[in-house]
Structure formats: C-alpha cells, structure tokens
Amino acid sequence: MTKDMKDIVALCKRRGFIFPASDIYGGLNGFWDYGPLGTELKNNLRDRWWKDMVITPPIGPDGAPIEIVGVDSSIIQNPRCWEASGHIGGFNDPMVDCKESKKRYRADHVVVYLPKDGEGVAVSFDKDAEDDEIEKRLKKLTKKTPADFETAKLDQVDVAKFANIIGPDVKEAGTLTEPRQFNMMFHTYVGAAAGDENKAYLRPETCAGIFLNFKNVVDSSRVKVPFGIAQVGKAFRNEVTPRNFVFRSREFEQMELEWFCEEEDVPMWFDFWVEQRTNFWLSLGLPKSSLHFLDVPKDDLAHYSSRTIDVEYQFPFAAPDFDELEGIAHRGCFDLTQHAEFSGQKLDYFDQPNNRRFVPHVIEPSTGLTRGVLALLCEAYTVDENRPSGVYMNFHPSMAPKKAAILPLTAKEDHVPTAQKLYMDLRDEFVVDLDIKQNIGKRYARQDEIGTPYCFTIDNDTLADGTVTVRERNTMSQERIHLDKVKDFLREKIKG
Ligand code: ATP
C-alpha cells in the first residue's frame, strides 16, 4: 500500500508530532515546530546518534573502540569563517525565475525534455514530477511522447536554448530567466549598528564549528589521529523552494561527524563509515529495500569532495525513487587548510611517534536529524483497515515517543490505584503514558496512532492474581504477565 504524504502530515498534526511554525498566524513557509511527541521522537534519534558516536563509539578495524568527542558550537561565528568555507560567494544555487508564473526554481531541480530531432519546443518539469503527469503534459503541449525527448537538468542546458523551453508551470516557451546565483545564508547584524561591518550569518551547516575548534580540541584533550569530533545542532538555509514537509526546510537540525585521519587511510575509513551508518539506519527499522546508496557522480560532487556516497531513503514523495537522508563525504583537507589560511593559525596535527606534522584528511557522515525524523515517521506509518484507528505507527520500540501505556480497564476506583502504582514504578526508567479516561478501544486506537509499542491493561484479574494484559501494537495480540515482570519485559523489548 503506498503511503500518502498528506495523510502523514495530517497524523503528525492531529497527534502532536509536528505543527507548522506560527500556525495561528497562517504558518511560515519552510519552518516547523515539534509537538510533544515529535520532540520525544527527535530526542530519541539524536540521543541514539550521540550514544553511537560519542558515548560508545564503534569498534575500529583494529578491534579497539575508535575515539570520538563532542562539541556544541555557536550558531553565529566570525563571518570570515564563511569566506574560508566558500559559503560567502560560493554557497549559491543557480536559480531561474519564471516571468509568467512568478515562481523561482533551483536550476538543478528542473528537468528539461529536449526534442531529440531538435524540432519544436522543449518542456520542463519539476524533478519530482510523476511519469504519467510528464507524459500527459508533453502530449498536450507537443503532441509527442517521452520517447521523443532526451532529458537534462536545466543548469546543464545552454542558456541560448532557454527561449525555446516551456517553464514547469506555464504553457508558453521563453519565460525563464537566465540562471542567477542566490545566497542561501540567512544574515543578521551583531550589535546595535546594522552596517555591513556588523553583518553575520546563521550557520548553514554545523560542521564549520567543528573545524574552527579543531585546534582547541587537540590542545585541550588527549585525542590522537585518527579521531572524530561530533556535533548536533540547528542549521539554517534560505531554501528557495522548501517542500515535502520537513524534508527541505529553512531551519533544520543536523548531526555531523568529522573523522580526521591520514590521507592513505581514507579508503578504509570511508568504507568503515558507510557500513556503520547503514547499520545505524537498519537498526532503527528502515528496511534495506527502502535504502539506496548513490555514489555521487563526479560532476555533482561538492567542490571540496573527491568522493561522496549519499544514503538515500524511499520517502513517499520520491517513491519509487529515493532521496537523500545522509551524505558521507571525503572532504580532503579542504576545511582545515582553508581555515588555516584565512585565520593565519596553524591547523595541522603533530604526530609524536613519527615526529612529523600533517593536515589530516576528513571523512564526514552528515545527516539531517529532522530529515531522519521524517524518514522514521514515513517508515512507521502503516495503514491497517482492521483496526479502529485505521492506521498505526510502527516505530522501532527504541524510537517510539512512548514506550508503553498503562490503561486501567475502567476509571473505577479499584483499577486506578494499581495503574498509578505501576506508572510510578516505571516512569523513572521509561517514558510511559498513564491514560485513564475513555473506553479502552479508543485508548488503544490513540496509542496505535502515536506508535506506543505496548499497552498494559489493569483489570479485575490484576487485582485477583497480580497479572496485567500486555497488548502488542503491531499484532494486537494480548498475553498476561505478572506485574513484577513488567520492567524486565520492557527492558528486553526496548533495547536499541
Ligand atoms: P541539497 O543538495 O538537497 O540541498 P545538500 O546535499 O546540500 O542538500 P548537505 O549539505 O550534504 O545537503 O547536508 C547534509 C544533510 O543535511 C543532508 O543529507 C540532509 O539530511 C540535511 N539537510 C540539508 N539541507 C536540508 C534542509 N533544507 N532541510 C532539512 N534537512 C537538510
């Protein structure tokens, strides 16, 4: 059964995962707020990443745990940092405007159908357009079929041909402007005066704060190459076309690791990180069949990267294709070299045993925390007409915002105190919900929709023999276990 983004967005709002930011004012395009359950889900994903990276980092190829430390750097840094990183001047996506529809497009997000025989007009589409939509529109505008065309991204098409291209949202050719650069960094002013000399930027990615602190970390801790520095935090990009729910937003969160190693060890560590990161997503319940690994073609690589593998997920809006969830890039020694040059500080590493200095190379697994949350939400969304809610969220228990619900069968006096006692017993260790009111069917339906893996129901038998019913979310099967066993049961089931 295909999943519809509209239904997922609706559930997220209805149950308190994600709301449009400034909802009561009509929202603000590209900004989202996380509700009570979305915040728990996001924290679970963040904490698990942090644990796997910093608290218990993976075992390295030599059998010993590798070394990773964390930082939490400022969102606003000295603007020189963005000159060095290439973001001022370089962090530009070429854009085209349509004079007719007044819409603005990223040139690499528009696909142009160019007639193979060179006769007639070319027609352009959003890169996510569906095949049947393309076929219909081509037929209408040109009376030809897709087989009569070859395709190219708009940024690869010679500007001289633009007059012959019909824009994605119009019917006549010649309304698209030449591609122009558009800086995606949000800026602000530091201090009282709003002049150019006070201009500063909200970081467009979190990794810069890691490179800026490379020397501080090396000098203040005992890390030795190879080692990593990890960071989780907000990033801001003035995306031209925010879309697909939180997938492409203007304010989002990233989880980034910069892994510093010797140049000659790059191929080994690159493979290591691709494997680690794949296992991470698999262990959270994203099936292998929904993941795709894109070895980014040379022409599409960021200027600093000689190799990047994108871990892609089959988001419902992309299916049957995939879209980027995480990028694993070999960044060379670009960042440390640039920041050394712009700051005038030495950002190399002294290898004591071999008595030599070098600038480490960097492998960067960079993932969107909020994009990861979207992947978990999309994967969890499961239509099931056989249950009252019609749908349940099949979260991996370790990611579920609530691990269990405690439900007294009736709000009658004798069920409630036992439920309250169990709740008090569990809440130190697990995020649990105590839900007393409404009929039991409605309460199960609510827990299904928020993805609670287990419901413990207190009934008359509980009072007689100390057992509770455990209802399992996915199968709706029920068994009875003793109250004393509930903690162990949850511990066992919820292990990450
Ligand atoms: P794109 O080319 O799609 O704009 P990117 O390749 O520039 O994205 P990176 O700079 O590699 O993205 O960012 C690393 C990760 O940060 C991405 O894999 C994604 O998970 C996340 N990310 C980037 N931009 C956004 C955004 N606008 N909204 C949400 N997450 C984002």
Side-chain angles (χ1 to χ4, degrees), residues 4 9 33 43 64 71 87 129 148 187 193 209 232 266 283 286 339 361 373 421 433 443 446 451-452 469 492:
D4 192 327
V9 173
D33 291 344
N43 288 351
V71 295
H87 285 97
D148 299 322
H187 68 255
V232 179
V266 162
S283 76
L286 301 190
H339 288 302
H361 270 232
V373 167
K421 184 170 176 308
D433 212 14
R443 281 182 284 162
R446 174 173 178 274
T452 307
T469 309
E492 183 52 39

Side-chain angles (χ1 to χ4, degrees), residues 106 237 239 247-249 252 254 324-325 366 368 371:
R106 247 175 84 164
R237 295 183 190 178
E239 297 279 2
F247 178 84
R248 186 174 300 288
S249 24
F252 55 99
Q254 291 184 312
E324 178 176 337
L325 174 60
S366 163
R371 209 176 265 190

